[in-house]
Amino acid sequence: MTEPTHDEAHGGALGTRLNWLRAAVLGANDGIVSTAGLVVGVAGATDERAALLTAGLSGLLAGSMSMAAGEYVSVSIQRDSEKAALALEKRELREQPEAELAELAELLERRGLSREVAVEAAVQLTERDALKAHARVELGIDPDRLTNPWHAAWASFLAFTAGALLPLLAMVLPPADWRLAVTVASVLAALALTGWSSARLGAAAPPRAVLRNMAGGALAMGVTYLAGTLLDVAGV
């Protein structure tokens, strides 16, 4: 008989994976809603395919670049903070090794270990890799897996682009009489999917997340379509 295997991810790896998946879902959702609102708003003012394509493509590029730049900046700040915290910890380990060992033992004891076991564990972890032990237990940082701003930027760019392509293509590909209906139906279906996905990733109830997501998208499209229609009526 073969030994049963257990391949379930644990700890930081699972948390990192869920964070990336959640960011991808939210990025795609932003791309869907913002681009849908833009092209539907323009559709309220004109039915010219060139104008719709120009507006949608401009929104896609502006939104994806903005998302990528924002993620790069925010994750760069986080990475700089992590590096600064690690540098400070490294200096403290060099200058106050006994105090740092006692601090690590106290932190392990707070996590439920007995005093004796916590001290022994702290000694063993320090002998193996003191900086890594303090980074993980004290700071909650894995020195081998610091956040990467380029990964975050590309993930946001691709997720937003993928989401934005749906309303853009739904608006410019069908015949003029079907454009609005196809776009609205496609967008609501996509928002239902992203709402369900985000709820599942967060272990929440999908129905409420789906309805909230669809309602937000429908409101955005309704407001922009009304604005476009009023501009058209006003001859702007």
Side-chain angles (χ1 to χ4, degrees), residues 196-210:
W196 180 88
S197 300
S198 61
R200 294 294 295 174
L201 289 171
R208 180 176 297 179
V210 169

Side-chain angles (χ1 to χ4, degrees), residues 30-40 55-57 59-60 160 163-165 167-168:
D30 287 343
I32 294 169
V33 175
S34 61
T35 306
L38 181 60
V39 295
V40 168
L57 188 58
L60 183 154
F160 187 97
L165 278 173
L168 174 58

Side-chain angles (χ1 to χ4, degrees), residues 66-158:
S66 175
M67 288 283 291
E71 281 296 311
Y72 181 84
V73 170
S74 63
V75 174
S76 292
I77 293 173
Q78 179 183 345
R79 185 182 178 90
D80 291 343
S81 298
E82 290 173 344
K83 285 184 173 181
L86 289 173
L88 177 60
E89 195 63 36
K90 187 175 183 179
R91 188 182 70 191
E92 291 176 345
L93 285 168
R94 183 176 62 251
E95 297 175 353
Q96 309 172 51
E98 296 82 5
E100 289 298 301
L101 178 61
E103 181 183 37
L104 181 59
E106 182 180 351
L107 291 171
L108 292 172
E109 187 176 2
R110 290 178 185 175
R111 296 192 175 191
L113 298 181
S114 66
R115 180 62 184 173
E116 294 76 12
V117 173
V119 170
E120 179 62 25
V123 171
Q124 292 189 22
L125 289 171
T126 300
E127 290 176 349
R128 181 175 300 175
D129 192 324
L131 179 60
K132 184 176 291 186
H134 279 266
R136 289 177 172 174
V137 177
E138 181 181 348
L139 305 175
I141 299 173
D142 186 344
D144 298 328
R145 294 183 177 179
L146 295 181
T147 52
N148 189 313
W150 284 109
H151 289 172
W154 276 109
S156 295
F157 179 87
L158 294 175

Side-chain angles (χ1 to χ4, degrees), residues 9-35:
H10 292 282
L14 178 59
T16 300
R17 186 181 305 171
L18 288 177
N19 285 336
W20 282 112
L21 288 172
R22 189 175 293 111
V25 169
L26 293 176
N29 194 80
D30 287 343
I32 294 169
V33 175
S34 61
T35 306

